[in-house]
Amino acid sequence: MPESKKTKDTATESAELYHPSKEVIKAAHVKDYDKLYKESIEDREGFWAKEAKKLEWYRKWDKVLDDSNKPFYKWFTGGKTNIVQNAIDRHQKTWRRNKLAFIWEGEPGDVRTMSYHALNREVSKFANVLKSMGVRKGEIVTIYMPQIPELPIAMLACAKIGAAHSVVYGGFSVEALATRIEDANSRVLVTADGGWRRGKITDLKGIANQAIERSPTIEVCITVKRTGQEVYMENDRDFWYHDLMGLPIASAYCDTEKTDSEDMLFILYTSGTTGRPKGLVHTHGGYSVYTATTHKYVFDIKDEDRWWCAADPGWVTGHSYLVYAPLINGSTIMMYEGAPNHPYPNRWWNMIEKYGITILYTSPTAIRGLMRFGSQWPKRHNLETLRLLGSVGEPINPEAWKWYHEVIGGGRCPIMDTWWQTETGGFMITPLPITPLKPGSATKPFFGNEVGVVKEDGTDAKAGEEGKLVIKAPWPGMARTIMGDPDRFIDTYWKEYAKQGWYKAGDSARIDEDGYIWVIGRIDDVIKVSGYRLGTAEVESAMVSHADVAEAAAIAVPHELKGNAIHAYVILRTGVAGNKALAESLKEHVSKELGPIARPEVINFMESLPKTRSGKIMRRVLKARAMGVDEGDLSTLEE
Ligand code: PRX
């Protein structure tokens, strides 16, 4: 297999600055970041209006930005569009109708491909099925599926008829699914019998059944047959997807609902500082414009690309950059069901070669996990089709960055380290292909975004000084609210810098002398495990739901592969003795309630927990002890 080789004017490292090659610069959509950035700040609405005009609208907007009710900003008000109009419908009128929309590979090796024409038919059929189940505009359908093509099809079918979707990550368990179904008041659940992961079958339908028992709102459950394992189906409640898709009602013709710009497209739950997950609301208009624009400029999207975003659609990365943005941009999308190292650690590299992938977008955790197996695995494959790489979810450590750049990218592919959040809808801080890179820095703000790193009092942190990351002006992809809890939306993001009207991201960061932004990590009680977001409170409430536990605290401790691992501190009920078997059973319990990603790495049995006089657990003290560093100011500690 030929090895990826460096070209003559490839990225050169000078003082840790990696310059893009002439080829990359020549191909890039944007050639002058500074100029366009300046223009986009001086006339933000003008910039976004220009980008919005590149999409189709049933009716043009009256106002680009409506800021009459801050922080509940609205974008493109008066406009009518449906994200499906741009993601599917408009491609039917061009040659892209025959272009591949999806290349999908299942973990056992089965392959499915779908053109934009076929995608339109499948989505229309399932949209008609949903309609026949009485799904109406504004209703929220919960989707709980493995990474199979029916997942994006179900999302798009909801959007097409103006219903909203709430996708719950297929790795989540009973408790997480049940609370999300309940919060969304979902009547319809779409799931699968199971999926493939590391050669094993997941029990999705079994978990779904248990969740339905806990959440009385579900009337209809539609199940895709993926693995063929035996599952329990209840009369009048459970239907097989393939049965419904075979009925005359599932016609391949369905009008796309002419939704308003601000109509809800989806809610996506994410972890915050209290136990209850937050359902963030995203809407059709602004989200379409923001995701499509960021995707196109940051990854320099061309018609000949084969785009692989290796995230699960159950997370925001999958929503924005596996499903919606690439479809709007008419890309061919790679999607893979299973584990990166199954059956061997060359699985991903093999698929890149086999399908001729040109852009790979993944997480530092995935990179570190594959790096561990050694360079001989990617070196067995020809990865020369790759021209750009991406990273998301947590800071990427320079060692992983360099391996990704050298071994996977052959030294010629710039790495787009994109900082953003479920709340932001799309990339906020990111390089462009033309940006000189510093490993570990997400570099500069995307167009239209004013980003600051500030101290408690709101003044700018000095160059190199750590501070809180804030966003100083609205952007079209921003979440509109937390479903059912607008006060929490204000409290969480807008209260601290209400005077200035800034959005608080919940991360700490530094800006260096060159204006490069370095994101350090969360400053609230959110833990990032393998790039997945969990709340300490969620883990703690799962722990105390165990019969033997009286009180629990969870913290994040740095971990070589996962970025962070969960360490739990537990006070047992009187009379219960802590031992190894109980620690295992507690780990198992959390894993069953929340999902395997929430499984604590370490359980410590305690007599008491460090608390403030007002009774708040001082997680910072636990963390300092776990890491063997100074515990800092203990004056508020009760005893
Ligand atoms: O801490 C930041 C981290 O992920 C958080 C957002 O998590 P979530 O809503 O799950 O969205 C993840 C995918 C967009 C942020 O507050 N984060 C995300 N991207 C980066 C990052 N930290 C450093 N560098 C990044 N590129």
Side-chain angles (χ1 to χ4, degrees):
M1 223 51 75
E3 244 180 65
S4 310
K5 50 183 187 300
K6 281 190 176 185
T7 54
K8 234 184 181 172
D9 49 347
T10 186
T12 49
E13 187 183 353
S14 61
E16 286 293 270
L17 212 57
Y18 287 70
H19 291 278
S21 67
K22 274 191 211 139
E23 281 85 7
V24 169
I25 294 172
K26 201 168 148 222
H29 287 300
V30 177
K31 301 279 196 283
D32 189 342
Y33 167 79
D34 290 337
K35 181 166 170 278
L36 193 53
Y37 179 71
K38 189 163 171 277
E39 285 169 14
S40 75
I41 297 301
E42 284 165 1
D43 180 14
R44 185 173 293 109
E45 291 178 44
F47 174 84
W48 286 115
K50 196 170 155 207
E51 292 304 323
K53 278 187 199 142
K54 296 175 186 169
L55 299 185
E56 276 189 7
W57 297 76
Y58 300 117
R59 183 185 184 279
K60 203 185 157 214
W61 56 90
D62 300 321
K63 220 168 165 358
V64 176
L65 171 64
D66 174 356
D67 58 2
S68 57
N69 183 24
K70 292 174 191 169
F72 301 97
Y73 294 93
K74 292 180 178 164
W75 286 84
F76 307 108
T77 49
K80 277 188 177 292
T81 186
N82 184 311
I83 201 160
V84 171
Q85 178 192 11
N86 284 294
I88 301 179
D89 299 355
R90 70 168 171 163
H91 302 313
Q92 307 305 316
K93 295 176 277 188
T94 72
W95 65 271
R96 285 198 193 87
R97 172 176 174 275
N98 296 322
K99 184 175 173 177
L100 283 187
F102 283 104
I103 301 169
W104 173 85
E105 191 168 300
E107 198 187 71
D110 44 338
V111 177
R112 277 168 73 186
T113 56
M114 211 183 290
S115 66
Y116 274 88
H117 170 76
L119 179 66
N120 184 35
R121 287 180 63 88
E122 293 300 311
V123 169
S124 298
K125 280 166 71 85
F126 195 57
N128 281 321
V129 166
L130 290 175
K131 274 189 181 171
S132 77
M133 293 293 178
V135 175
R136 296 277 167 272
K137 192 173 168 208
E139 175 172 345
I140 303 168
V141 173
T142 297
I143 301 174
Y144 179 64
M145 287 171 101
Q147 277 210 58
I148 55 176
E150 286 80 4
L151 173 43
I153 289 169
M155 291 165 72
L156 292 155
C158 291
K160 187 173 174 77
I161 61 175
H165 53 73
S166 161
V167 180
V168 179
Y169 170 55
F172 271 146
S173 236
V174 181
E175 174 66 21
L177 176 58
T179 47
R180 285 158 176 76
I181 289 175
E182 231 162 276
D183 189 78
N185 235 322
S186 279
R187 214 171 47 76
V188 177
L189 173 67
V190 187
T191 186
D193 54 353
W196 289 96
R197 189 85 195 167
R198 285 199 184 83
K200 294 205 187 86
I201 286 175
T202 56
D203 182 27
L204 281 191
K205 178 62 173 149
I207 293 171
N209 284 344
Q210 288 179 54
I212 294 172
E213 264 164 44
R214 290 199 203 179
S215 30
T217 56
I218 296 291
E219 292 169 16
V220 172
C221 177
I222 301 172
T223 304
V224 176
K225 191 173 258 181
R226 163 69 186 131
T227 60
Q229 81 218 60
E230 185 115 10
V231 292
Y232 172 73
M233 304 277 281
E234 195 164 290
N235 269 348
D236 300 332
R237 182 194 77 184
D238 280 314
F239 302 88
W240 285 109
Y241 180 92
H242 60 268
D243 284 345
L244 297 171
M245 292 290 269
L247 296 175
I249 186 77
S251 138
Y253 300 90
C254 176
D255 285 337
T256 302
E257 179 78 25
K258 294 184 170 53
T259 40
D260 288 335
S261 293
E262 284 295 319
D263 277 344
M264 179 161 66
L265 168 63
F266 65 82
I267 56 171
L268 188 56
Y269 287 92
T270 189
S271 302
T273 44
T274 70
R276 214 158 40 84
K278 306 176 277 202
L280 290 155
V281 175
H282 285 281
T283 58
H284 278 266
Y287 179 82
S288 297
V289 175
Y290 197 76
T291 54
T293 308
T294 46
H295 180 241
K296 179 173 160 194
Y297 290 153
V298 173
F299 284 101
D300 189 32
I301 298 300
K302 303 279 161 48
D303 253 320
E304 53 274 28
D305 276 316
R306 287 195 160 182
W307 162 259
W308 185 9
C309 163
D312 190 288
W315 301 94
V316 74
T317 310
H319 278 56
S320 299
Y321 298 108
L322 194 161
V323 181
Y324 288 118
L327 288 176
I328 295 173
N329 287 328
S331 305
T332 294
I333 300 163
M334 172 70 201
M335 188 174 169
Y336 167 60
E337 177 185 33
N341 56 344
H342 188 85
Y344 302 108
N346 67 333
R347 184 64 188 260
W348 273 22
W349 320 129
N350 184 37
M351 288 191 293
I352 288 172
E353 176 176 5
K354 181 172 166 193
Y355 300 111
I357 303 300
T358 59
I359 311 170
L360 173 66
Y361 182 46
T362 185
S363 66
T365 285
I367 295 303
R368 287 193 295 264
L370 290 166
M371 187 169 105
R372 177 172 60 128
F373 296 110
S375 304
Q376 71 272 24
W377 292 100
K379 284 193 171 152
R380 289 163 62 161
H381 296 278
N382 179 349
L383 305 179
E384 282 179 2
T385 50
L386 285 174
R387 63 183 192 89
L388 281 171
L389 300 171
S391 174
V392 62
E394 52 184 320
I396 181 163
N397 48 312
E399 197 197 348
W401 195 100
K402 285 174 190 164
W403 186 81
Y404 196 23
H405 187 257
E406 243 351 274
V407 180
I408 306 308
R412 72 181 178 277
C413 308
I415 299 174
M416 303 297 105
D417 180 352
T418 60
W419 178 91
W420 59 295
Q421 307 175 298
T422 309
E423 291 85 345
T424 70
F427 312 148
M428 298 301 288
I429 306 171
T430 172
L432 296 175
I434 56 165
T435 310
L437 302 171
K438 298 186 185 186
S441 168
T443 75
K444 306 269 175 106
F446 189 73
F447 303 120
N449 292 335
E450 279 171 86
V451 173
V453 170
V454 300
K455 295 189 283 198
E456 296 290 335
D457 62 3
T459 55
D460 283 336
K462 288 198 284 286
E465 194 185 357
E466 187 172 338
K468 291 185 184 179
L469 187 65
V470 295
I471 298 158
K472 298 184 172 175
W475 64 100
M478 64 202 305
R480 299 305 192 252
T481 187
I482 293 174
M483 204 192 52
D485 206 346
D487 290 343
R488 195 174 173 200
F489 183 68
I490 296 174
D491 286 353
T492 315
Y493 308 109
W494 302 94
K495 208 163 125 188
E496 190 161 338
Y497 298 106
K499 207 168 68 206
Q500 298 92 334
W502 297 341
Y503 168 88
K504 183 187 75 175
D507 279 16
S508 67
R510 274 193 279 268
I511 303 185
D512 70 16
E513 313 72 45
D514 302 328
Y516 277 55
I517 301 161
W518 299 76
V519 175
I520 300 162
R522 301 290 310 188
I523 34 180
D524 52 11
D525 296 326
V526 169
I527 306 183
K528 284 244 131 186
V529 183
S530 302
Y532 296 129
R533 182 164 159 180
L534 289 165
T536 48
E538 276 175 291
V539 180
E540 288 160 6
S541 62
M543 305 267 333
V544 295
S545 72
H546 188 285
D548 293 338
V549 176
E551 224 180 316
I555 58 162
V557 175
H559 185 278
E560 208 183 323
L561 279 183
K562 302 177 183 174
N564 290 291
I566 297 173
H567 287 210
Y569 295 81
V570 176
I571 303 179
L572 294 170
R573 286 189 193 280
T574 341
V576 183
N579 54 33
K580 225 173 152 194
L582 183 57
E584 273 313 299
S585 122
L586 284 176
K587 288 181 188 175
E588 212 31 59
H589 177 75
V590 176
S591 182
K592 188 158 178 282
E593 286 290 299
L594 283 180
I597 48 163
R599 187 187 176 93
E601 185 96 354
V602 175
I603 304 243
N604 297 293
F605 296 110
M606 311 282 283
E607 292 295 324
S608 65
L609 290 169
K611 283 186 187 164
T612 61
R613 277 176 209 116
S614 58
K616 271 176 102 177
I617 297 173
M618 293 179 79
R619 294 191 188 81
R620 150 178 92 71
V621 175
L622 292 170
K623 188 162 176 165
R625 276 186 207 167
M627 295 173 63
V629 298
D630 182 31
E631 291 169 6
D633 179 13
L634 294 179
S635 58
T636 55
L637 192 66
E638 193 184 33
E639 56 187 58

